[in-house]
Structure formats: C-alpha cells, structure tokens
Amino acid sequence: MGHDSEESAATSNGGTAADGGHDISPPQGENRGDPAIEDTAAATKELGVHVEPSAPSQSSSTSRRLGDEHRPPLPPRPGTLDILKEGNHNTGGTSQRSKQSARPNLQSTATIALSRTDIHTQSYPDGSRETYAASAETTPPSKPAGVFGSIKRFKGLSGSEGGDSASVRSYAPTLEAGGDAESLLGEVLGASQEVPAWKLLSTQYEAPDPFDTFMFEDNEATVDFYREFDELRGGESGEQNEEQQLTQWQSKRKHFLILSSAGKPIYNRHGDDNLISGYIGMIQTIISFYEGANDHLKGFTAAGARFVIMSQGPLYLVAISKLGENDAQLRVQLEALYMQILSTLTLPTLTHLFANRASTDLRRPLQGTEPLLSALADTFTRGSPPTLLSALECLKVRKSQRQVINDTLLRTRCDTLLYGLIVASGRLVSVVRPRKHSLHPSDLQLIFNMLFEARGVKAGGGENWIPLCLPGFNKNGYLYMYVSFVSASEGHGEEPDDDRNETEHQDEIAVLLISANKESFYDLRTMKDTLVKELEKNDSMAIIKSAVRRGRPAATDIVPGTVLRHFLYKSRANVQFTMPSYEPHFTTLLDRRRLLSLYHTLHANVHAKNAHLKVQHCIRRESVSLAWVTPLFELYCVAGPHSTRNALAQSANKVVQWVRREEERVFIIGGAVF
Amino acid sequence: MADSAGTAPPKPSSSVKLVLLGEAAVGKSSLVLRFVNNDFQENKEPTIGAAFLTQKSHLPHRTIKFEIWDTAGQERFASLAPMYYRNAQSALVVYDLTKPTSLVKAKHWVAELQRQASPGIVIALVGNKLDLTSSSDETPETTIAASGGEEGTEGADAAEEENGDARKISTKEGREYAEEEGLLFFETSAKTGKNVQEVFTAIANAIPETQMKTTKGAGAAGGGTQSALGAERVNLNKRPEGAKEGCAC
C-alpha cells in the first residue's frame, strides 16, 4: 500500500518507536560501542578443554572459576619452551585471564616487572596468541637467549603466572612494539613474518573466540560447507577407506549424537556405528565420569568445537558444533531432537523401555525415525530462524481473506477434529483449535519437519494417517494426523527450482487435521474434501496459491531504499516471526549459514543471562547488524558493510512500523477457535 | 491389458479395499508407487503411519477402484494394523527375496489375517526385489523358477552371490508356503515393474463379484481393537465428545 504517503510520516516518526519505549536512533549510552570488545567478551573463549560443571549457582564467570579449580595454577616453568607451548595448549589460566576483562591480555594484578618489561604479542595462524615479556633495556631484540633470560627473571618476580602477565603497554601496543615483536619472533619462533602490525593490534582487542573468526573471516572453513550434508564415502575397502571416512567425519561442522545412558548408540547424524563407536565410548565415559561425581556435565570446548550435553532421563543427547552457536541455542536443538523421539514413542513408552532393561537398544523401536531426526539436524546445521527464535512463520494474507479461510475451516469442522491446520510451503495459513488448547510451536516444528523437510510423507503421494505424539500438547499419548497435500503450482511448472531455491518445498499446500481418535480417518478425509471444495469455491485456495508463489517480499519492498539486507522480527506475544526473502543477497547455502550465524551471535548476546542488553549495534567487516529487544518484539537486522548506524536504525524503525501496520497479515492473531 | 479394455460404455464399477502388510523396507510403498504412478524412487524414506491411495484397474468386464492402505512396516505401528485390514477384501503380504526374516514376518501377517480379518479376504504373497536376483531378467519367475530357486537354498548360496544374486529365499519356498495357505503368489520387482500390474489384476480377478461393494464402506467400523497405541490415547477430558472410543458410523 501507499509507501510514498507513509514515507514522511515514518521519518517524522522516526525517533519514537513507541512499542517498547526504546528509541533506536543511535543513543550513545544505550548502544554498546563495539560488541566485539564488550559483549562477546563474556562468551566462551577458552581454547583449551574447559569443563563447565553444573553447580546450581550460575553466573557464567563463577562457573568458570569453578572450572579452573580442576586445574590448579601451573608451577613456575623453568624451561623456555613452555611459554611458547602455552599458546597452543591453553590451560585454565587462560580462561581466567580472559573472562571478565574487556582487555583479555591485562592481568589484574600489577607487577613490579611492569616498569622493566615490554610485552609483545604473537599471533599464531590459528588465532591463538601469546604474550611474553622482554626487557628492552638489558637485551638487544635480536638475541633470543637474552629474551628468555629476562623472562625467567620476570617470573621470579611475579610467580607462576608470569607468562600470562601483561602490562599497560600490552593494551596499547604501538606499531613500534609490534615491529619489535615481529623481528624478535621471526628468529625465535620462525613464525610467519607477514603478520601485519594491525593484526597484532587487533588481537589485543578481539576475543580469541574460535567461532568469531569462523563466521565471516575464515573462508577456508566455510567454503566446503555445501558438502556438510554429503554422506561419508571412502575408497573401495579396508583401512584406507575407514581412514578416509574418519577424516570426512571429522570435517563435518556439526554432529548430533544420541546415546542411552548405558552407552548404546541411538542416533548419529554422520557415519555408521562402527566408524564412531570409539567416539561414542569416549563421550559416554566423559559424561558418566561426571555423573558419577553427581556433577552433571553440560558442555565443554575442544579443538574449536563446542560440545553440549543434555541428559534427558535415560538418554544423553550431544551436540558438537563448530558453527558458533552458544550453549543455549544448541540446547534448544537437542531439545527438539528429544521431542522428536518422544513424538515417536511417547514418554511412558520410553521410560518403560528403559525401566525394564537399562541396556535397551532404542534403535529398534525408533526404526524409521532416523530420516526425521536427520532432517531436523540438517535444518539446524543449515540454520533455522524458527528454531533460533522458537517461533512460527505465517503466510502473509490479508486479514479478511484469512478470516474467510478460518470460517471455512470452522464450518466444515467435523466432531472428532482437535486441530485443523492449513500450511503452505512451511508457513502457517490458518488454524482451528479448541478454545482450551493452543498449539505449541515446538510441536508444529516437528510436524513441519516431518512434512516439509523429511520427504517421506510427501513422496508417498497419497493421503496419510500418522500416529504421533505432540509432546508440547501431551507427551503421554498419541494423536492421529490426517495429511493431504494440494499442489500450489497450477501449471506454473517451470523454474520452480532454479529461481526459487529459497524453499524446495515451495509449492506445497498441506491440509493437516489432527484428532485424538484413531478411527477417525474417514471422517477427517470427508472433512478435507469438503474443506478443499469450499476453499476453491470462495477463492481462498487461489489466494493461498498466489501468496505462496509470490514468496516473501524483499527487504527493499518492505522499506524502500533501505540499507537492510535481511531481518527477523519476532512478535513475542504471538510467538510468531516474519522475515523478508533471502534474495537477492543470501542465495547460497553458505551465505545463508553466515547470515544465520550472525543472527545466532546477536541472539546470544541479547539473551545472555547477565546482559540486560536492549540494543546491540555490531560492526563487522562483512556486515553491520543490529539487535533490538523490547518486551513486545525482538528485531534482528543485517545491513551491508559500511552502512551507517543512522541508516540502520532508521530502517529498523521502519520495519517495526511496517510490522505494526501489517500485523494482522503477517501474523495469525487468535486464529479460529471452537 | 488393463488400459485397452476401456471401450464398452458403462462397465460395472466397484471398489476394493486392499491393505499392504510386511516387514519394514521390503518395498510395500514402492510396489504401490509403481502400481499407482508407474514410478520408482531409490532410497525411499520409510512410511510413517500409513498412506491411503486409490487407483482404478480396468478389467475386461468391470472396473475396479482399489482403495489401498499402504502401512508402515515398523514394529511400533503393528498395533494399528487391525484398523486397516478390518474391512479389507484383499491383502498384499510382502517380503524381501533377499532377506529371510522378512518371510518369517510375512507368515505372521498371513496367520494374523486368517485369524482376524474378514473371512473371505484374498491374500497375495509377494516376494519383492526380484531385480536383485540374477535369474530375474528373462525367465517368467512365477511359473518356471522353482528349479532355479532350489539352488538358492541348497549349496550354491555363495556362488550365486558372486554372480550378483542376492536371493535368499527360493521361489519354491515361497510358492509352497503360498499353496499350503491358499494364497496367490508372485515374485515382483517394483524397480523394474515386473509382475506388479499382474499382482493387482490377479487380486481383482480373485475377488468374487458378490463381495464387491458399489459404495465405499463406512470406514471406521466399531472400535473393537484395543492396542497399545489406543490404550495410551490422549484423553481430552475437557472435550469429551472428541475423545471417546467413538464409532463414527
């Protein structure tokens, strides 16, 4: 509708985005200057193995300190090489050093050595770095022996942590200091000479978070992302084959493992049991070691991968991710996998199986569920806004049109119906439900996954009658779901795949009718026939089809001339979200994964427990982004690099205004209730 | 042959309910897909619950509309099977020629059908994945292969596998069992389409005309079966009319 007429209103309105009372025009006080320094500093940045015990207290810093207790401070190291090693084998001391201060290299305790030493920082190609001291007065830079001699002395003064010490100089490194270090280390370490001074400088500021560097800078790591979903395959036979497979297995960025507490494998995304049985055993040993101490292991980091463990009754679920999600986000994903298992078995069956025999092999009762679990896992690996936001996306339809569809559903409803849904290309069009029962987003996610991501149901071609448990609704019993697909393409056969790879399930409209009565298939089938007939008659079907074909609007259609490339807007009250098309900026799998990684970071930052963060403005080399959270909504925006903060803020405001204007179109409010 | 016969104006048309049963991954859905869409998918994902499809089959003297219940083979769905075969006039019990356990499972299904399904039910025993056996290409398996099949069970297992023959159940074994129980018997390949139409045609011919219904049976007849699934059914106590053992007819 008339964008032009609203333009002026919008700009005059710009400063008062009244919704949450949080003005988004760049207020210095509210915006945290550079999040790379301030906000992500609290994120995990240990390079070495670091275990978080689950003591109930829980600011992350205390738990980290507890973690440190597992490793007492190292004794004074006499040897020179120890210091050099330390950069790679970081110990508990490192996390202690980096966790609280925005300047990771600063040691809080001042030392006498301060006046006598220069601190130099060496960056290793792997992103870790080493700080060491050199006494400029006594030692000519070119003489390594002297350098280490001075370190020894230094250590004598400051105790065991000498190697970790830093001076004020280290925080304000200058080019000359950098150059100094370079020439020095060139001899000592044979380190790469081409590390530019600015990088030395920037490593002082940037958290050594392996994930941070992964996302937008480390292209090598993401280049082969499209192979992430390939099956492992090796040579013909023998050990070589296994070795190859193992290498491929290790190169996957994300793994999900599910095992029973007795150590029986239940599900793994990549590789077969033989290949990874060793790992399963290891994981089980690690977990049960902590369980034995009544200290539940929640997660740890090793070799650039974050391990998150969730124990659910008799099951352990493990996520291993190199994609930069934080623990809470991975936990949501594990939760979804667990829900899928419950959806297949129901909770009583699951507990019963293990109560009878702790060593039950759950794969047999779960037989046939692997494609569903894998579809979920792959969705998470690709990056999924609904999962990140725990919200649903709806098909954008006019309010009056949706009303007609709702009414039709209500009119044709049969007695045995519990929920009735119309879903188009993974987006909800309409729901009918009993007044007392609402639908849980996680349940819908399972259903959508089954219908639109796993191809099994649709490939069969007919109508389907599927017993399933919706754990959010009732995890103790089954419901029965009637599913029938209606094609939305209408002879528009060409170019569905090339042009719009946005969603492969582009042109499918599904009618889902859920009942608690397992005998009601024919009732629901009759209802569906009348429903579809009625929808055809009152043109609703055509409206849905054209809305599906239209796809999501581009960001520039929503806010003309915006710098925004993409955004996510979640309405907290409706538990729904809306977003523009990924095109034209995020067409490939990799582009989208990067975008989603950025969203994950923003989401993690504003949802960090102690953050109290309302607005975050984040500048990266590849993008400028903004997260804005109010009690009413969460908004995450991404703009191209070099966009100004003002432009971004203005666009964000306009998005909020657009959503408010279109609220009843992009969201389903209330739905049809009987 | 089915298609060419469609000339005479109004042939009597009737519907036949058919249910497919058998172990997981023997190719039930693939058989149906071949029959209904004349299509085949490698690595088809397992059926969840059951799929309902219809397909017309034109016989010389009448047209038959198959209403097919393609059930999932996994153990946990077994308790739902009665609701699919309860009113069925015919059943396809499928096993995998390359997997001995699948025949054992098939025998269980046959026994259950004979015990519980409607008395006149026509049962066809179908050994699928004929394309994986070496003798599949030329010989009309259903009539001749008895001798070739013997080798499969007796000695030559290993040798045959080297020839690319993965057959583990001889034609003779299947046929003899089928004859004992009075079943129709076929060996099929959903992949190549071999014998698939024939199975359905044979079933259509085997059903006596008196059993044909001209209208669809009201589906949910009586909630007699108490299964594990049923016992755990969600009880919507707030909306009693939606929840109880209701019989819809």
Side-chain angles (χ1 to χ4, degrees):
Chain A
M1 323 211 15
H3 280 302
D4 293 315
S5 62
E6 275 142 29
E7 188 82 72
S8 60
T11 35
S12 69
N13 214 346
T16 55
D19 276 49
H22 292 285
D23 189 346
I24 198 161
S25 54
Q28 291 298 346
E30 230 172 333
N31 270 345
R32 301 275 191 107
D34 182 350
I37 300 176
E38 299 194 19
D39 297 319
T40 58
T44 52
K45 44 176 74 76
E46 307 81 354
L47 295 167
V49 174
H50 168 76
V51 172
E52 277 181 43
S54 71
S57 62
Q58 273 357 293
S59 83
S60 58
S61 63
T62 49
S63 75
R64 218 157 265 148
R65 235 175 263 130
L66 284 172
D68 291 343
E69 282 172 12
H70 293 291
R71 284 180 178 271
L74 296 171
R77 285 155 296 189
T80 52
L81 283 175
D82 284 2
I83 286 177
L84 304 178
K85 274 191 215 144
E86 192 205 310
N88 294 326
H89 310 285
N90 247 325
T91 55
T94 319
S95 59
Q96 186 184 33
R97 174 180 60 182
S98 55
K99 74 197 161 212
Q100 276 158 332
S101 83
R103 313 159 180 174
N105 266 354
L106 262 181
Q107 196 189 30
S108 45
T109 50
T111 71
I112 300 172
L114 191 107
S115 58
R116 325 201 296 121
T117 49
D118 290 335
I119 305 300
H120 300 289
T121 299
Q122 167 67 27
S123 303
Y124 293 103
D126 64 357
S128 64
R129 81 208 121 84
E130 184 48 57
T131 306
Y132 70 96
S135 164
E137 301 149 51
T138 59
T139 323
S142 56
K143 254 180 114 184
V147 172
F148 292 117
S150 78
I151 292 172
K152 261 188 219 160
R153 243 184 295 145
F154 179 88
K155 271 196 192 143
L157 293 172
S158 66
S160 69
E161 287 182 285
D164 295 339
S165 304
S167 71
V168 173
R169 288 280 302 266
S170 77
Y171 177 57
T174 55
L175 285 180
E176 93 237 17
D180 218 9
E182 212 172 300
S183 66
L184 255 173
L185 297 163
E187 278 185 44
V188 177
L189 300 173
S192 57
Q193 296 282 342
E194 66 271 9
V195 177
W198 63 263
K199 182 143 191 196
L200 285 181
L201 199 142
S202 68
T203 51
Q204 297 285 348
Y205 291 90
E206 275 168 15
D209 182 351
F211 309 137
D212 247 341
T213 53
F214 168 79
M215 283 199 311
F216 287 91
E217 289 154 33
D218 191 358
N219 278 319
E220 272 170 70
T222 43
V223 154
D224 61 342
F225 184 65
Y226 64 92
R227 268 189 256 154
E228 175 78 11
F229 307 104
D230 289 359
E231 274 185 36
L232 305 184
R233 97 180 63 169
E236 302 77 52
S237 62
E239 280 174 35
Q240 202 183 356
N241 181 22
E242 189 163 313
E243 218 164 88
Q244 269 179 0
Q245 290 197 346
L246 211 55
T247 320
Q248 287 175 39
W249 188 80
Q250 285 161 349
S251 73
K252 302 287 181 195
R253 299 216 163 60
K254 199 151 173 178
H255 289 278
F256 290 100
L257 307 174
I258 304 176
L259 55 152
S260 72
S261 45
K264 281 247 168 74
I266 294 169
Y267 169 78
N268 47 284
R269 174 59 188 91
H270 299 292
D272 60 23
D273 291 346
N274 290 337
L275 190 68
I276 64 161
S277 56
Y279 292 99
I280 296 273
M282 241 184 285
I283 282 277
Q284 201 252 344
T285 312
I286 295 173
I287 298 173
S288 49
F289 175 78
Y290 282 89
E291 293 285 323
N294 229 344
D295 183 13
H296 305 284
L297 182 60
K298 285 185 167 172
F300 57 90
T301 302
R306 183 70 191 164
F307 290 66
V308 170
I309 290 136
M310 187 163 91
S311 131
Q312 282 283 9
L315 305 183
Y316 293 141
L317 299 98
V318 184
I320 305 168
S321 171
K322 297 180 190 168
L323 288 171
E325 298 116 311
N326 76 1
D327 285 17
Q329 290 159 350
L330 288 171
R331 222 163 274 279
V332 168
Q333 299 172 7
L334 290 178
E335 183 78 22
L337 293 180
Y338 177 62
M339 289 297 173
Q340 177 57 63
I341 290 180
L342 285 188
S343 173
T344 304
L345 293 177
T346 73
L347 184 61
T349 313
L350 181 67
T351 33
H352 178 75
L353 281 170
F354 283 98
N356 274 2
R357 213 155 60 92
S359 61
T360 298
D361 183 357
L362 201 60
R363 270 175 309 182
R364 202 173 158 71
L366 278 180
Q367 203 186 22
T369 310
E370 299 89 348
L372 300 180
L373 291 169
S374 294
L376 274 176
D378 288 352
T379 306
F380 300 151
T381 309
R382 276 195 299 271
S384 145
T387 316
L388 175 67
L389 301 173
S390 303
L392 283 173
E393 191 185 7
C394 300
L395 188 73
K396 187 170 172 248
V397 182
R398 280 170 181 274
K399 184 189 176 190
S400 57
Q401 291 164 344
R402 194 171 333 256
Q403 195 59 50
V404 171
I405 299 171
N406 286 348
D407 290 346
T408 316
L409 261 172
L410 279 176
R411 209 170 44 244
T412 53
R413 175 177 76 88
C414 70
D415 289 340
T416 46
L417 186 76
L418 173 61
Y419 295 120
L421 301 94
I422 299 176
V423 186
S425 65
R427 281 171 278 167
L428 199 56
V429 181
S430 175
V431 194
V432 286
R433 60 182 176 87
R435 189 166 300 280
K436 282 178 182 159
H437 298 286
S438 58
L439 265 170
H440 203 277
S442 68
D443 290 342
L444 283 179
Q445 183 188 26
L446 292 182
I447 296 176
F448 288 10
N449 176 65
M450 178 191 285
L451 300 185
F452 297 104
E453 300 298 336
R455 315 290 291 178
V457 174
K458 209 164 46 175
E463 296 147 275
N464 293 272
W465 186 237
I466 298 172
L468 84 173
C469 163
L470 296 179
F473 172 74
N474 181 341
K475 62 176 76 159
N476 295 318
Y478 285 102
L479 294 172
Y480 300 85
M481 177 166 75
Y482 170 88
V483 184
S484 172
F485 287 95
V486 182
S487 171
S489 43
E490 230 174 21
H492 275 242
E494 347 87 64
E495 51 75 57
D497 274 12
D498 305 329
D499 258 23
R500 323 202 125 271
N501 51 354
E502 177 160 322
T503 40
E504 301 117 18
H505 41 74
Q506 191 65 22
D507 54 355
E508 292 294 342
I509 299 170
V511 178
L512 321 180
L513 305 173
I514 300 175
S515 167
N517 182 349
K518 71 170 170 172
E519 305 282 347
S520 56
F521 173 83
Y522 291 99
D523 290 348
L524 297 180
R525 184 164 185 256
T526 317
M527 172 184 165
K528 174 247 160 189
D529 286 343
T530 19
L531 175 68
V532 170
K533 215 177 290 166
E534 294 268 311
L535 289 177
E536 300 275 9
K537 217 186 328 176
N538 61 27
D539 275 346
S540 298
M541 204 48 113
I543 288 165
I544 297 172
K545 285 177 183 175
S546 72
V548 169
R549 280 199 303 273
R550 215 163 36 235
R552 304 181 180 100
T556 42
D557 296 340
I558 292 170
V559 182
T562 182
V563 294
L564 289 189
R565 291 184 169 178
H566 201 261
F567 67 82
L568 299 177
Y569 178 103
K570 174 186 176 182
S571 160
R572 287 187 153 179
N574 295 313
V575 209
Q576 290 164 37
F577 79 97
T578 186
M579 65 179 190
S581 161
Y582 285 115
E583 267 131 67
H585 296 288
F586 306 98
T587 45
T588 67
L589 194 62
L590 179 56
D591 288 339
R592 263 177 232 173
R593 178 61 235 184
R594 288 178 170 174
L595 176 69
L596 264 299
S597 292
L598 180 55
Y599 282 140
H600 274 88
T601 313
L602 292 172
H603 182 271
N605 291 345
V606 293
H607 285 86
K609 260 189 190 147
N610 302 318
H612 303 301
L613 197 57
K614 300 285 191 293
V615 177
Q616 184 189 27
H617 182 245
C618 174
I619 301 172
R620 289 167 187 269
R621 219 168 298 156
E622 319 274 327
S623 67
V624 178
S625 53
L626 178 87
W628 180 16
V629 179
T630 77
L632 291 177
F633 63 82
E634 294 171 20
L635 175 63
Y636 307 89
C637 309
V638 174
H642 313 304
S643 310
T644 67
R645 193 181 277 192
N646 261 329
L648 182 59
Q650 251 171 28
S651 295
N653 265 326
K654 286 192 185 155
V655 168
V656 172
Q657 285 160 12
W658 175 80
V659 172
R660 204 179 311 148
R661 207 165 54 231
E662 308 265 321
E663 192 160 32
E664 308 220 36
R665 295 180 183 175
V666 294
F667 300 135
I668 295 176
I669 296 177
V673 174
F674 57 87
Chain B
M1 65 151 154
D3 298 313
S4 58
T7 47
K11 278 189 297 182
S13 158
S14 45
S15 66
V16 167
K17 286 188 68 180
L18 183 149
V19 60
L20 279 97
L21 298 167
E23 200 179 62
V26 296
K28 297 181 289 302
S29 301
S30 294
L31 280 173
V32 176
L33 191 65
R34 175 60 74 188
F35 176 58
V36 174
N37 292 343
N38 197 17
D39 194 8
F40 180 77
Q41 294 170 350
E42 297 278 352
N43 302 321
K44 202 181 164 306
E45 290 187 9
T47 306
I48 308 168
F52 182 81
L53 301 95
T54 57
Q55 170 72 357
K56 284 202 174 111
S57 186
H58 299 282
L59 301 181
H61 301 296
R62 55 189 183 183
T63 302
I64 287 183
K65 185 183 170 202
F66 279 108
E67 297 180 356
I68 303 167
W69 272 114
D70 172 21
T71 65
Q74 282 79 24
E75 209 55 56
R76 67 174 178 281
F77 296 115
S79 56
L80 285 172
M83 101 170 228
Y84 304 120
Y85 64 63
R86 195 181 306 132
N87 298 311
Q89 291 115 302
S90 57
L92 233 63
V93 178
V94 187
Y95 66 95
D96 178 348
L97 287 170
T98 67
K99 200 175 169 211
T101 57
S102 68
L103 181 60
V104 176
K105 185 70 201 169
K107 290 177 178 174
H108 286 151
W109 279 122
V110 170
E112 178 166 343
L113 286 171
Q114 288 170 338
R115 211 169 49 237
Q116 316 230 15
S118 40
I121 190 166
V122 175
I123 304 174
L125 182 70
V126 175
N128 194 27
K129 308 199 185 177
L130 190 58
D131 51 285
L132 296 179
T133 67
S134 60
S135 48
S136 65
D137 286 325
E138 297 300 329
T139 33
E141 202 67 36
T142 40
T143 51
I144 306 179
S147 61
E150 257 171 36
E151 294 172 46
T153 35
E154 267 88 87
D157 257 8
E160 292 224 347
E161 264 176 70
E162 269 170 38
N163 301 338
D165 188 354
R167 180 191 279 272
K168 293 280 164 45
I169 299 169
S170 69
T171 307
K172 187 176 172 226
E173 188 181 354
R175 175 180 304 284
E176 281 178 354
Y177 171 73
E179 277 167 9
E180 250 169 61
E181 302 292 332
L183 319 173
L184 300 170
F185 176 70
F186 288 90
E187 287 188 345
T188 62
S189 166
K191 188 170 181 174
T192 64
K194 191 175 173 60
N195 274 342
V196 176
Q197 286 293 339
E198 285 79 350
V199 176
F200 288 89
T201 310
I203 286 180
N205 284 325
I207 293 174
E209 219 145 325
T210 48
Q211 287 224 3
M212 304 263 185
K213 299 178 199 164
T214 35
T215 50
K216 206 184 305 167
T225 39
Q226 266 303 343
S227 62
L229 289 179
E232 284 164 22
R233 172 180 320 149
V234 172
N235 189 1
L236 286 176
N237 41 20
K238 286 154 195 154
R239 283 185 40 82
E241 75 267 41
K244 279 301 148 205
E245 268 304 326
C247 148
C249 34

